[in-house]
Amino acid sequence: MALHPTLYSFTNRWECDENDHLNVQFYFSRFDEADQQFRLITGLSDALVGARRVRHVRYHKELRTGDLITVHSGIAFDGPHMLTVVHELRNAGTGDLSATAIDGYEPSASTVKSLRQRFKDHQCPMSELASPRGLPASPANNKPALDKLLQNGGGLCFRGTVLPRHVNADGKADDQFALACCTDAVPHVWERSPLTHAYLSEHNLGRVAMEMKLIWHTPLKSGDAIVVASGFTGAQAKTFGMRHHIYESRTSRLAATLDVVALAMDLNARKAIELPEAARKAIAKIQLD
């Protein structure tokens, strides 16, 4: 079966960041809206398949101001999770694939046969382009306490508050809120490496994410204050990893984690550069234990 159209949208100028392309938080907001529409179309619900365990996003091609957006969605039973919802976000003007998301669910194994029948009109084969590459598909098991994280390579890089505009119909903070917090935290993480704001500006480079994995551990509600603690998880020739941890401030309860594969992009060529050796070595010295 083909993927179902679940969103028609547009890239607004105010949604684009310093790299002059759509900021990651707005990709997540588009996927969240597409998912809501897909649930309405198909009858998919937490009561049937449980809560979403992970949302895994890969970025394939930039979206710039004025670009048209469509999202198509389907269910892949051959994906990396017991039940995988696949979303493909495209530039509607060119047809180019801009980003993909897979939502992972783990319903009871005994229900899979009935779920296959129930959603037979909404099934699609798992997309190779949507499959995880730089991050494992499974949710991370590591849930460090805030004080331990700060002792083992993590650093505070954002504080904020959940406002009424950040919550969804269930009264819980949404994905865009989590991504917005982490997006503001990112420059402070990079600043701990040789890839500082001054270095990036001097060499006309931009901070870019290639892949992300968001996991909600416990919900946040309107009025909750939060803190983000982040650190590096490793470095390769062109990419490096980092992990953001969102904690509810009053109790230091872990609410969400976001794993990221990032790179530095030449803003003229719009291509990734090789990371300087000094940057790789510095990241290796301060990465999270």
Side-chain angles (χ1 to χ4, degrees), residues 189-207:
V189 185
W190 283 63
E191 204 70 14
R192 298 176 63 196
S193 80
L195 301 171
T196 63
H197 176 69
Y199 180 91
L200 296 174
S201 297
E202 179 184 353
H203 294 86
N204 197 33
L205 302 174
R207 293 180 281 259

Side-chain angles (χ1 to χ4, degrees), residues 201-222:
S201 297
E202 179 184 353
H203 294 86
N204 197 33
L205 302 174
R207 293 180 281 259
V208 176
M210 294 299 294
E211 191 167 351
M212 289 180 162
K213 181 171 67 173
L214 175 66
I215 302 163
W216 282 100
H217 303 287
T218 58
L220 293 169
K221 65 181 187 303
S222 181

